[in-house]
Amino acid sequence: MIKTVEAPNGGYRFMPGVSQYSAGVAALPGFALERVRFANPVPLRQGFEKIAQILKEAGRPLSAFAACELRSPAPFTESGFVKFNEEYIGTLKAWGLMQDVTENPVARSNVCPKITPPSEPGFHAFSYTVVAAGAPTSFVIAGSGEAPEGKGSYRDHAVRLGDTSPAAMLEKAKWVLGEMERRMSAFSGDWSQVTATQLYTVHDIFPFIESELGKRGIFRQGLTWHLNRPPVQDLEYEMDCRRVHTERVIEV
């Protein structure tokens, strides 16, 4: 059984990942996850301020912040990704979300639009918990590219590094799909429960979209394909998924 940890005063539990983000979150009994998408990306600092405001208006503590989806101008170098994460994690620490500095409870995706990218990293969406007696289960699975987390270097462990041939993309997709399934299993989840699936790549997925995604039942709720790249150079394919029943879009 995969370990999960209850986030203090958060209303959710998380699957430990790396210091930058957890592998996924699920609402505890008596709570539900809700998602807010910004109509346009909001720069990181302003986004954190807006999230804090929304949580306050909802009567929820900062510790209810459970997951986020980021947009960045272009894929980072490995060192650049480390620097970005230091800034991002700084706010989570200031909010009291990382009482154990080695465990980050907040799930995350961070991808880079090919078309009209933002000028700086910012928030596309976020999810938080609300009190909801009797609510159905809800979870958010963090984004994953085609390389395992926590190995020190994505390049050294990426599936078919530098290869974007149809066969390589199929292998990358199979690995990422398997990782989504592994993470969902931590919360007793599977594709039949998912309410939304997102895929991020600038490469052709049609050779396997039916054989790999279709056979898993992903199209039951539809697939959102973003023409985006993963956040680190040399990664080519990323996915995330969720089971969230209440979502809204706001203008900032």
Side-chain angles (χ1 to χ4, degrees), residues 31-219:
F31 294 88
L33 285 160
E34 295 190 358
R35 180 175 181 264
V36 174
R37 179 170 68 81
F38 297 115
N40 294 291
V42 181
L44 201 65
R45 183 173 299 178
Q46 181 186 354
F48 271 123
E49 292 173 353
K50 186 62 178 179
I51 291 168
Q53 177 189 338
I54 291 170
L55 292 174
K56 182 178 181 179
E57 291 172 350
R60 299 294 293 143
L62 294 175
S63 53
F65 179 54
C68 64
E69 301 163 46
L70 305 180
R71 295 293 184 266
S72 293
F76 294 91
T77 62
E78 298 260 4
S79 61
F81 198 48
V82 170
K83 183 177 180 180
F84 165 77
N85 284 318
E86 288 175 351
E87 177 183 356
Y88 168 81
I89 290 171
T91 300
L92 300 187
K93 290 178 178 178
W95 283 13
L97 296 178
M98 293 182 65
Q99 296 181 11
D100 180 344
V101 295
T102 65
E103 286 193 339
N104 186 335
V106 180
R108 191 181 85 185
S109 298
N110 183 8
V111 290
C112 311
K114 181 180 180 181
I115 299 172
T116 60
S119 59
E120 60 182 295
F123 286 95
H124 170 72
F126 73 98
S127 299
Y128 66 101
T129 59
V130 297
V131 176
T137 59
S138 52
F139 59 75
V140 176
I141 303 304
S144 175
E146 72 274 21
E149 305 282 3
K151 298 292 186 180
S153 169
Y154 290 102
R155 282 185 56 86
D156 292 343
H157 300 90
V159 175
R160 300 286 288 267
L161 178 68
D163 188 349
T164 56
S165 66
M169 292 306 298
L170 171 60
E171 193 171 337
K172 294 172 192 286
K174 285 182 174 180
W175 193 94
V176 173
L177 286 161
E179 181 64 8
M180 293 292 100
E181 290 158 4
R182 185 181 76 87
R183 295 179 181 187
M184 282 192 284
S185 73
F187 309 112
S188 300
D190 57 38
W191 293 115
S192 71
Q193 301 173 33
V194 166
T195 59
T197 302
Q198 301 185 108
L199 187 156
Y200 312 95
T201 187
V202 299
H203 303 290
D204 186 8
I205 63 172
F206 284 100
F208 57 81
I209 196 169
E210 183 175 355
S211 63
E212 295 302 325
L213 282 73
K215 74 179 183 182
R216 289 170 165 82
I218 290 174
F219 293 110

